[in-house]
Amino acid sequence: MTRYVALLRGIAPTLPHNSNAELRAVHEGLGLARVGSVLASGNIVFETDETDVPELERRIQEALVAELGIGGGTIIRSLDELRGLLERDPFDGLTHGRGTYLVATFLKDGVTPGEVPDDPDPLVRVVGFDEEAQAYLAVIDNGDPGRTPDFMRWLDRTHGKDITTRTWLTVQRIVRKLESL
């Protein structure tokens, strides 16, 4: 059995049909094992013998639309992919904090990364693109939380719904939860 996380785009606990219980029930209904959730932002962990990740993403997304009306997007990563990302330590000892967000933006399997603009935004330092995890890594100055950095807009314009972003702390929590399954 392989341990995976489904990173669901556009989930907020205040929206209808976005509760962890409802999200877990959809995954359990697909026959996935040891289903759990991490935080209340669309991180569903599970085990399965299935290895065709694009097909698994498609099945989960179709079930989310059919059962809960959620069409935001589903991106799957394995425990090994995420553990490897943590071990590579792309943020080189930086600390996630109120003014400095360390983020990973995951691309859907098979999506080609775009060429990062030379100067995406003065509030963003792009660390790079991790090929194995298929994720852009960036440090965002979040001192003005009401302002969305241009880099995040560039990601949305370039990749549409084929991306989802998680903080580095969330990635660490997901790995701990996957390891405990």
Side-chain angles (χ1 to χ4, degrees):
M1 297 275 271
T2 302
R3 297 176 191 177
Y4 293 105
V5 62
L7 303 167
L8 309 178
R9 181 180 164 103
I11 300 298
T14 58
L15 295 174
H17 305 299
N18 280 214
S19 74
N20 279 336
E22 290 170 298
L23 297 172
R24 286 191 306 268
V26 169
H27 289 74
E28 290 165 349
L30 293 171
L32 303 174
R34 301 178 74 185
V35 176
S37 50
V38 179
L39 302 173
S41 54
N43 307 297
I44 305 297
V45 296
F46 58 92
E47 284 186 337
T48 184
D49 286 330
E50 296 179 50
T51 58
D52 185 343
V53 169
E55 174 61 17
L56 193 54
E57 287 174 339
R58 185 193 63 73
R59 284 184 50 232
I60 290 170
Q61 189 57 52
E62 284 179 359
L64 288 168
V65 169
E67 296 177 37
L68 302 177
I70 297 172
T74 301
I75 295 175
I76 292 177
R77 290 296 181 271
S78 70
L79 169 59
D80 289 343
E81 289 169 324
L82 293 181
R83 186 186 291 137
L85 178 61
L86 292 182
E87 288 171 356
R88 288 187 289 281
D89 190 19
F91 294 110
D92 194 24
L94 293 175
T95 303
H96 180 93
R98 182 179 175 97
T100 304
Y101 272 38
L102 309 180
V103 297
T105 299
F106 296 93
L107 274 64
K108 198 166 196 62
D109 193 39
V111 172
T112 303
E115 195 66 35
V116 177
D118 288 335
D119 187 13
D121 188 291
L123 298 177
V124 177
R125 179 169 64 91
V126 179
V127 173
F129 184 78
D130 188 279
E131 289 287 335
E132 291 177 50
Q134 288 291 290
Y136 288 102
L137 303 157
V139 180
I140 298 174
D141 176 350
N142 199 36
D144 181 3
R147 185 171 181 276
T148 301
D150 286 341
F151 179 64
M152 302 308 281
R153 286 191 194 101
W154 173 82
L155 286 166
D156 278 341
R157 283 191 313 270
T158 304
H159 299 293
K161 290 186 179 184
D162 290 337
I163 63 172
T164 192
T165 300
R166 297 296 186 271
T167 69
W168 195 239
L169 292 176
T170 298
V171 173
Q172 293 169 334
R173 288 178 181 134
I174 290 168
V175 168
R176 282 194 301 271
K177 181 78 171 198
L178 284 166
E179 289 174 337
S180 72
L181 288 183

